[in-house]
Amino acid sequence: MTYPIYTVDAFTDHVFGGNPAAVCPLTEWLPTATMQQLANENNLSETAFFVQRPDGDYDIRWFTPELEIDLAGHPTLATAYVLFHELGYSQDSIRFHSKSGLLTVTKNGDLMEMNFPARMPVACEIPAHLLEGFSIQPKQVLRSRDYFLIYESQEEIEKVIPDFVQLNQVETLGVIITAKGNSADFVSRFFVPNSVIGEDPVTGSAHATLIPYWAKALGKTSMKAEQLSKRHGDLWCGIQGDRVTIAGKAVLYMKGAYKLA
């Protein structure tokens, strides 16, 4: 059988920017092992699979090349783009059911706005290999799902060099580094130890942690964020109680089909 597949660049308004995600519509779930193999074959930071429910909502799952994860932002934005622009979804808001609960994506002008659970970082024990994994030392280390390293300036974020020999000895899905921005409210980068990803270009799920931290630190409920990877990403962020909103643009790079014997 053949199945449709799309590649969408998320959190950007042009191809070769933002973060590419593979999006795979299904009428019913494939075996988990098969979806994992497909994500590995795609070799992008995430592949999203989704199935429509009888009530019109969607179930969604995300896989990195190595494992299934519980929350992913840019492939959710990419999936919403495919539904809105390629599959004829006509309503203004899409409801996704996931391992992290209900997620919504809503049209907001020329942006698509995701609503995710907030993940405020808290104090934690600091592994030695984590600090040894970066060329510049942070001023503070916190943690939610991911380690959360706070720096003095955007310039430090731009100059930091990761050492994956050290980071690969840290047990974590990811490491966020962040500081106040020059033109944006805050900036960040995101690293994935023990993965082919290395540095993720733009990470929506990391902003579930970045937004509540910076909302409190800056005393703001609406913020502009930039992820400072080589591909660069722009995100418009907000906080509403224990939920965050993460908005961005997306563009289609490729569509086609894959064949399973």
Side-chain angles (χ1 to χ4, degrees), residues 81-102:
Y81 178 92
V82 168
L83 282 164
F84 283 133
H85 297 279
E86 296 293 325
L87 299 181
Y89 188 86
S90 59
Q91 300 181 49
D92 288 336
S93 186
I94 306 170
R95 291 163 53 93
F96 293 108
H97 297 263
S98 75
K99 290 189 174 183
S100 291
L102 179 64

Side-chain angles (χ1 to χ4, degrees), residues 159-222:
K159 293 177 180 177
V160 163
I161 299 172
D163 179 352
F164 281 98
V165 173
Q166 298 295 331
L167 292 179
N168 287 346
Q169 300 180 65
V170 179
E171 292 188 9
T172 183
L173 178 66
V175 180
I176 304 164
I177 66 172
T178 187
K180 287 184 181 179
N182 295 337
S183 56
D185 290 292
F186 63 88
V187 296
S188 67
R189 292 169 67 188
F190 188 82
F191 303 95
V192 188
N194 296 298
S195 170
V196 298
I197 298 168
E199 180 172 357
D200 194 39
V202 194
T203 317
S205 63
H207 286 75
T209 300
L210 286 157
I211 292 167
Y213 173 83
W214 284 112
K216 182 177 180 181
L218 299 175
K220 301 179 75 171
T221 57
S222 180

Side-chain angles (χ1 to χ4, degrees), residues 236-255:
W236 288 262
C237 307
I239 190 161
Q240 302 170 355
D242 62 354
R243 307 286 295 185
V244 297
T245 57
I246 309 163
K249 301 176 183 180
V251 293
L252 179 68
Y253 169 68
M254 180 177 66
K255 61 181 176 180

Side-chain angles (χ1 to χ4, degrees), residues 16-257:
F16 310 128
N19 200 353
V23 178
C24 300
L26 297 171
T27 56
E28 60 183 19
W29 292 116
L30 296 170
T32 296
T34 301
M35 291 189 287
Q36 185 63 71
Q37 288 176 310
L38 288 165
N40 181 268
E41 187 82 0
N42 292 333
N43 201 33
L44 296 172
S45 56
E46 275 103 18
T47 296
F49 299 89
F50 67 98
V51 175
Q52 188 167 23
R53 297 157 59 106
D55 61 5
D57 291 358
Y58 294 88
D59 290 318
I60 189 168
R61 296 170 69 179
W62 312 278
F63 292 78
T64 75
E66 292 91 7
L67 74 161
E68 184 174 6
I69 57 176
D70 68 338
L71 184 65
H74 88 275
T76 303
L77 195 76
T79 300
Y81 178 92
V82 168
L83 282 164
F84 283 133
H85 297 279
E86 296 293 325
L87 299 181
Y89 188 86
S90 59
Q91 300 181 49
D92 288 336
S93 186
I94 306 170
R95 291 163 53 93
F96 293 108
H97 297 263
S98 75
K99 290 189 174 183
S100 291
L102 179 64
L103 312 173
T104 61
V105 184
T106 303
K107 287 182 181 178
N108 184 3
D110 62 347
L111 300 174
M112 292 175 290
E113 183 177 271
M114 301 185 293
N115 186 297
F116 277 19
R119 292 175 163 176
M120 176 66 87
V122 297
C124 65
E125 294 185 7
I126 306 171
H129 291 296
L130 178 65
L131 297 180
E132 293 167 359
F134 291 100
S135 59
I136 302 173
Q137 293 301 288
K139 66 178 183 179
Q140 188 178 8
V141 178
L142 303 173
R143 188 175 190 182
S144 57
R145 178 192 70 179
D146 310 304
Y147 283 104
F148 189 87
L149 281 58
I150 304 152
Y151 283 82
E152 292 285 354
S153 67
Q154 176 170 327
E155 288 71 23
E156 287 189 340
I157 299 297
E158 293 170 341
K159 293 177 180 177
V160 163
I161 299 172
D163 179 352
F164 281 98
V165 173
Q166 298 295 331
L167 292 179
N168 287 346
Q169 300 180 65
V170 179
E171 292 188 9
T172 183
L173 178 66
V175 180
I176 304 164
I177 66 172
T178 187
K180 287 184 181 179
N182 295 337
S183 56
D185 290 292
F186 63 88
V187 296
S188 67
R189 292 169 67 188
F190 188 82
F191 303 95
V192 188
N194 296 298
S195 170
V196 298
I197 298 168
E199 180 172 357
D200 194 39
V202 194
T203 317
S205 63
H207 286 75
T209 300
L210 286 157
I211 292 167
Y213 173 83
W214 284 112
K216 182 177 180 181
L218 299 175
K220 301 179 75 171
T221 57
S222 180
M223 295 165 287
K224 173 67 165 50
E226 295 179 4
Q227 193 156 331
L228 301 178
S229 65
K230 290 181 180 179
R231 294 177 63 108
H232 191 86
D234 295 302
L235 308 94
W236 288 262
C237 307
I239 190 161
Q240 302 170 355
D242 62 354
R243 307 286 295 185
V244 297
T245 57
I246 309 163
K249 301 176 183 180
V251 293
L252 179 68
Y253 169 68
M254 180 177 66
K255 61 181 176 180

